[in-house]
Amino acid sequence: MQWITIIWSVVAGVCLALAMVHVLIWLRRRTAGHLFLSISSLSAAAIAGFELAGMRAQSPEQYGQVVQWAMLPIFVLTVSLVFFIRVHLKAGRDWLMWVVVFLRTLVISLNFALTPNLHFTEITAIRQVPLFGGESISVAEGETRSLSPLGPLSQFALLAFAADAMVQVWRRGDRRRAVTICGSTILFISLATVHSPLVLWGVIDSPFLISICYLAVVIAMAHELSADVAGAAALGRRLEASQEQLRESEQRMDLAATAVGLGMWRWDIGTDRLWISDSGRRLFGLSEDAPIDLDRVLSLIQPQDRQGVLHAIARSMNGDGDYESEFRVVLPDGSVQWIRSHGRAEFDGQGKACCLLGVAIDVTSHKQAELEAHQRREELAHLSRVMMLGELSGSIAHELNQPLAAILSNAEAAQKLLTRDSPDLKELCAILDEIVEDDTRAGEVIRRLRILLKRGEPARQKASLNDVIRDVLRLVHRDLDNRGVRVETELQEMLPVVQVDPIQVQQVLINLILNACEAMSETAAGERVLTIRTWANGSQCVSFSVRDRGCGLPDANVHRVFESFYTTKPHGMGLGLPVCRTIIAAHGGKLWAENGPGRGACFHVEVPAGATGGAN
Amino acid sequence: MSDVEPVIFVIDDDPSIRRSVARLLRLEGFNVTPLDSAQELLDSCGSIEHACIILDIAMPGLSGLELQEALASRGISVPIIFLTGRGDLHTGVHAMKRGAVDFLTKPVRGAKLLAAVRDALARDRAAALGRAEVARVRRQLALLTPREYEVFEHVVAGKLNKQTAAELGTAEGTIKVHRARVMEKLQVESVADLVRLAERVGVKGSPASP
């Protein structure tokens, strides 16, 4: 049979088929690799056709033309092969690629410039060479051109390119591809490049094998691409499966978040796009779909809270810790919600913040509870203060009585003076002066009382602890006198300023002083000494202590005195010291007690110094 | 009895009170000495005559009530008017039981205070008079002879002349003579006056014989 025809036709057919398949794939997926493979395949088919034509050539002119035209698909195939490697494998040096292209262009130009073609100056005769199986093929005889080797040589550039690419891909770790594509290219092209000139120059009498070699390369490329396609399909299935999982997981998270009133958000700083989960949108009263940016969210936050939020954002964007803020949001129906938001910033390669993500939670009920608790504490402190002042009421009444009594006596003296014929005006002036003085004195007592009994938000202000102590001593000195208690003060001058509510600190002091007097009620008359000291602990804290010489605290449980409702007084309620401790703690300070040294107990208070001392 | 101007002591640790009360009293014509502590009174005056004290209770150092006790223990009986800012019942009763003239609370109307002062001074005068009287009687009793004194005792005890004669071992007639002389020396008209005189100086007479 005409096995040559069959084989070469099959080769062409296969190449054409591959070309068609891959052109269709390219049309659908637009990956360049498929296009170049198509072109290569097409060229290989063309080469096969030309080879067959050559082998059936009847005249030298026919042969010459076949060889000339066959150079064209070789050129196309070489170039497309190089592009394939460059684009699909992303390997190979650019300059080498252009060298190949240049050389082949040169060759093809020369080929068409010269007659009959690049390889022969003249084809003299065609002779039939008998082959295996009864076939015979045409072989040319003639003079070969000196430039003929240019063709094969230019293929070496292609081989170099392929080798270089192979090394690159191998180094990348993609060994399979390196071997399949580049390896097969090198192998088969070398084969063709070596074999063809030998046939052309009449050294070997055999059919050209270029198309078969190129077919091998094309098959390798196709195999590679189809592996990609198959891989892509498998990847697609896995992607679908994981997307399904993701959907489920998102649903679960959404459920959990909704149950807790938790919303998730992510702000892309570059595009100023803010993503908020559905539950998060509900927190802010936003509709389900509208895209939002930071300004939209800020517009929902109550004006007085916006500054704080912006500060917190800026801080975390600067890398200064996590993002934390609390703010109020006005919902469309007018109600106000408290929202607490936590998050963190993510940074890109240059250390700039590229996005901020976190969670937001509705804390309205928490906040309300907090506010209520705060109010209760204040009420309790006030109540405690009032009760404590009740204990002082005797001496307070006395403080008021003195000036009033003096005023009465003075006024009556003045009345008496005025009944005289020539009243002593100087005496009258002295009387009126004294009346004014006494009235002022009484007014002071009332003023101080009013301040202490005032019920309102504690007002922190800069205060000198020594002055506060002196004020208190003025208030209680009569009580101390009544109980026969002597006061000693050791007040350090130049104390750092503290930021406290003077009323509350006075409350604490009075409480401690009254307790001390109570403790010394059994002590011998001459030994009832109360010592008040102030001193600065470095520049950070200011301390004061109230020390008595009384019965002391039970050694085992000194801290019990701070327990609510613990009291040793028969009519006491046991709330004074716990309230004092709360007050001091609210100022960011500490209150503690210890026995001694020596007889009696000592209560220490420490408060932070400085303009911004104290917690909320 | 000398006519010494009585002194009113005003003792209070509060200067405004001292000044204003002193002023008021001075305008009434009294002689006032303000003091700022109870201790000062004890230290300065040895024996206090013709005076009354306006006394605060709650003072540093010695309190008003303590002063009252101290004066009593020294046998100084000066009328005391308490003028205090704290008018609780317990203290008031305590003070009055120990012989205070009055217990006033501040602020006090001038009229009330003056009335108390006058009352106190009247009492003081009455007491002084009483003391003077006793002294006089004692002087007179000192003029009696021992025997006359014995008879005086028996008469004051309510004994008949006959009984007295029997107990003292003399005749009734002698007793009658002694009795007359006693009544003459003591300047009394009747036995009843004699008994009253004896009571004034605390002579009870000899107890009845069993």
Side-chain angles (χ1 to χ4, degrees):
Chain A
M1 257 318 292
Q2 307 247 350
W3 58 271
I4 297 259
T5 314
I6 293 172
I7 292 175
W8 262 250
S9 305
V10 166
V11 167
V14 168
C15 286
L16 275 175
L18 277 174
M20 267 204 346
V21 165
H22 282 271
V23 107
L24 287 174
I25 295 178
W26 173 74
L27 280 174
R28 194 170 314 158
R29 301 179 83 227
R30 298 285 159 168
T31 11
H34 292 280
L35 179 65
F36 291 128
L37 180 59
S38 276
I39 297 176
S40 308
S41 265
L42 206 57
S43 318
I47 296 171
F50 281 123
E51 280 177 354
L52 193 56
M55 287 188 285
R56 295 278 178 263
Q58 302 301 320
S59 67
E61 296 78 32
Q62 239 184 345
Y63 198 85
Q65 277 204 321
V66 163
V67 171
Q68 194 181 46
W69 281 98
M71 294 298 285
L72 187 59
I74 292 178
F75 164 72
V76 172
L77 191 141
T78 309
V79 168
S80 67
L81 195 56
V82 153
F83 279 151
F84 177 84
I85 292 177
R86 186 75 187 81
V87 167
H88 180 76
L89 284 184
K90 298 191 180 45
R93 290 167 219 250
D94 276 346
W95 64 266
L96 207 48
M97 178 176 86
W98 292 117
V99 161
V100 171
V101 172
F102 170 69
L103 284 175
R104 290 310 307 181
T105 317
L106 184 65
V107 161
I108 194 83
S109 320
L110 283 174
N111 182 46
F112 279 102
L114 301 166
T115 36
N117 55 44
L118 179 64
H119 294 288
F120 290 103
T121 49
E122 199 191 349
I123 304 177
T124 45
I126 302 285
R127 67 182 164 87
Q128 298 294 329
V129 169
L131 282 184
F132 167 79
E135 283 264 13
S136 62
I137 55 168
S138 309
V139 168
E141 277 186 5
E143 273 188 45
T144 48
R145 211 186 279 275
S146 52
L147 282 176
S148 173
L150 204 55
L153 281 178
S154 63
Q155 289 298 66
F156 280 114
L158 172 64
L159 289 174
F161 178 79
D164 177 50
M166 184 159 114
V167 165
Q168 268 189 11
V169 177
W170 181 278
R171 285 227 191 97
R172 253 201 327 233
D174 215 346
R175 296 183 179 183
R176 189 182 57 95
R177 273 187 176 182
V179 167
T180 334
I181 299 185
C182 301
S184 61
T185 308
I186 295 173
L187 179 64
F188 291 107
I189 306 281
S190 318
L191 202 57
T193 312
V194 165
H195 179 261
S196 317
L198 294 178
V199 171
L200 272 174
W201 298 333
V203 175
I204 306 178
D205 284 334
S206 82
F208 284 101
L209 296 176
I210 302 178
S211 61
I212 293 179
C213 291
Y214 282 3
L215 175 65
V217 176
V218 163
I219 287 177
M221 285 161 68
H223 175 266
E224 186 46 44
L225 282 181
S226 61
D228 275 354
V229 170
L235 214 59
R237 275 193 302 278
R238 278 217 302 274
L239 187 65
E240 250 188 64
S242 62
Q243 268 184 342
E244 186 56 40
Q245 270 182 346
L246 186 65
R247 254 196 303 277
E248 265 179 58
S249 150
E250 265 184 15
Q251 267 179 349
R252 267 183 247 127
M253 212 162 50
D254 201 43
L255 193 65
T258 314
V260 182
L262 187 83
M264 285 165 282
W265 52 267
R266 187 181 194 283
W267 177 47
D268 191 311
I269 298 177
T271 59
D272 193 19
R273 286 268 291 276
L274 190 54
W275 168 82
I276 302 189
S277 70
D278 286 340
S279 48
R281 281 169 184 264
R282 277 194 287 277
L283 274 185
F284 283 88
L286 290 165
S287 66
E288 299 271 314
D289 325 314
I292 38 182
D293 59 4
L294 187 68
D295 281 331
R296 177 96 178 82
V297 170
L298 282 176
S299 70
L300 294 169
I301 298 179
Q302 266 199 350
Q304 59 257 51
D305 296 332
R306 276 181 210 155
Q307 206 51 39
V309 173
L310 288 169
H311 270 293
I313 292 178
R315 262 191 51 231
S316 68
M317 276 173 68
N318 278 337
D320 202 3
D322 285 346
Y323 164 72
E324 260 191 54
S325 70
E326 246 180 36
F327 48 85
R328 278 160 289 190
V329 156
V330 184
L331 294 183
D333 65 5
S335 63
V336 174
Q337 302 265 59
W338 272 96
I339 297 195
R340 191 180 297 155
S341 192
H342 284 277
R344 63 167 202 278
E346 277 184 358
F347 300 91
D348 62 12
Q350 279 94 15
K352 247 184 53 145
C354 61
C355 80
L356 196 61
L357 48 92
V359 296
I361 185 164
D362 179 356
V363 291
T364 311
S365 51
H366 282 235
K367 258 315 199 208
Q368 270 171 357
E370 236 178 68
L371 282 168
E372 258 191 60
H374 180 75
Q375 251 181 316
R376 294 277 164 276
R377 270 201 304 274
E378 286 308 315
E379 277 175 29
L380 188 61
H382 180 252
L383 190 67
S384 182
R385 206 182 316 142
V386 170
M387 282 178 63
M388 187 185 60
L389 287 174
E391 282 179 54
L392 286 177
S393 66
S395 72
I396 291 171
H398 199 271
E399 282 296 310
L400 284 175
N401 242 344
Q402 300 288 73
L404 281 178
I407 290 173
L408 181 57
S409 302
N410 266 333
E412 289 189 313
Q415 281 175 328
K416 184 127 278 155
L417 266 179
L418 286 172
T419 58
R420 303 239 174 112
D421 291 330
S422 53
D424 183 351
L425 289 175
K426 266 179 57 189
E427 179 101 33
L428 275 170
C429 278
I431 289 175
L432 289 173
D433 283 340
E434 277 177 38
I435 289 180
V436 167
E437 214 181 280
D438 286 326
D439 196 289
T440 312
R441 208 173 107 195
E444 257 309 297
V445 175
I446 302 232
R447 190 186 66 85
R448 247 184 261 128
L449 241 191
R450 218 192 259 133
I451 292 177
L452 275 167
L453 285 170
K454 184 176 64 169
R455 188 203 176 146
E457 279 306 303
R460 300 270 178 87
Q461 61 192 95
K462 292 205 194 62
S464 152
L465 204 54
N466 288 343
D467 287 341
V468 171
I469 292 178
R470 286 189 196 111
D471 271 342
V472 166
L473 287 176
R474 227 173 285 144
L475 185 71
V476 300
H477 86 273
R478 200 150 278 281
D479 256 277
L480 296 176
D481 283 341
N482 284 352
R483 296 167 204 241
V485 171
R486 202 175 80 238
V487 175
E488 281 175 0
T489 54
E490 292 167 32
L491 308 178
Q492 181 182 323
E493 294 306 315
M494 311 295 289
L495 280 180
V497 147
V498 287
Q499 189 91 355
V500 293
D501 179 3
I503 302 174
Q504 291 197 322
V505 174
Q506 281 184 10
Q507 178 177 352
V508 170
L509 258 168
I510 295 174
N511 204 318
L512 294 178
I513 290 176
L514 286 179
N515 281 355
C517 289
E518 189 78 29
M520 290 194 284
S521 55
E522 304 291 315
T523 315
E527 290 172 35
R528 295 185 199 149
V529 183
L530 184 71
T531 313
I532 301 185
R533 282 184 61 217
T534 61
W535 69 98
N537 263 344
S539 61
Q540 298 304 313
C541 304
V542 174
S543 301
F544 66 88
S545 68
V546 175
R547 192 164 160 235
D548 65 70
R549 306 280 187 285
C551 52
L553 303 163
D555 270 312
N557 289 326
V558 169
H559 59 274
R560 275 207 82 192
V561 290
F562 293 105
E563 272 175 27
S564 303
F565 305 112
Y566 173 86
T567 178
T568 50
K569 298 185 196 173
H571 301 295
M573 225 168 73
L575 279 179
L577 281 175
V579 170
C580 288
R581 199 172 233 187
T582 310
I583 289 174
I584 298 293
H587 282 81
K590 291 189 280 207
L591 165 61
W592 72 98
E594 59 188 8
N595 273 325
R599 201 181 156 177
C602 185
F603 282 77
H604 291 267
V605 174
E606 194 181 271
V607 281
T612 50
N616 276 334
Chain B
M1 191 180 65
S2 51
D3 224 355
V4 177
E5 184 79 32
V7 174
I8 308 187
F9 291 99
V10 175
I11 307 181
D12 195 314
D13 63 314
D14 186 323
S16 334
I17 301 278
R18 281 201 306 271
R19 272 200 306 260
S20 53
V21 169
R23 180 182 281 126
L24 193 62
L25 293 172
R26 281 197 191 108
L27 282 175
E28 286 298 317
F30 291 106
N31 183 2
V32 182
T33 303
L35 298 171
D36 76 4
S37 75
Q39 193 59 44
E40 233 186 287
L41 182 73
L42 287 177
D43 294 339
S44 61
C45 313
S47 78
I48 307 163
E49 304 242 337
H50 307 297
C52 87
I53 306 176
I54 299 180
L55 186 54
D56 185 18
I57 294 187
M59 291 185 286
L62 211 60
S63 80
L65 292 171
E66 284 167 352
L67 178 64
Q68 188 186 34
E69 262 186 57
L71 289 173
S73 66
R74 287 187 200 188
I76 304 174
S77 60
V78 183
I80 297 178
I81 301 168
F82 281 99
L83 180 62
T84 173
R86 276 225 184 122
D88 69 298
L89 189 64
H90 178 80
T91 319
V93 167
H94 182 100
M96 295 307 285
K97 271 189 175 176
R98 281 176 183 43
V101 169
D102 210 341
F103 190 87
L104 303 171
T105 49
K106 296 177 206 165
V108 64
R109 293 304 306 261
K112 202 165 178 187
L113 183 63
L114 289 167
V117 165
R118 290 196 182 102
D119 188 14
L121 290 176
R123 280 203 212 182
D124 182 60
R125 259 198 307 279
L129 279 174
R131 280 194 299 275
E133 180 64 20
V134 166
R136 187 186 66 81
V137 170
R138 283 199 195 279
R139 276 198 302 277
Q140 282 178 325
L141 280 175
L143 293 173
L144 295 175
T145 67
R147 198 45 159 196
E148 282 166 355
Y149 194 81
E150 277 178 335
V151 169
F152 164 70
E153 276 186 315
H154 280 90
V155 167
V156 160
K159 308 258 176 71
L160 297 169
N161 290 343
K162 211 193 294 192
Q163 272 175 299
T164 313
E167 279 173 23
L168 291 180
T170 39
E172 205 180 317
T174 327
I175 299 299
K176 277 196 199 159
V177 168
H178 280 311
R179 199 163 126 167
R181 238 184 270 153
V182 163
M183 288 183 54
E184 200 192 309
K185 277 189 181 171
L186 294 179
Q187 295 165 342
V188 295
E189 300 284 321
S190 64
V191 175
D193 289 338
L194 196 69
V195 173
R196 268 185 233 116
L197 190 142
E199 274 186 341
R200 229 178 285 148
V201 294
V203 175
K204 290 202 178 61
S206 49
S209 38

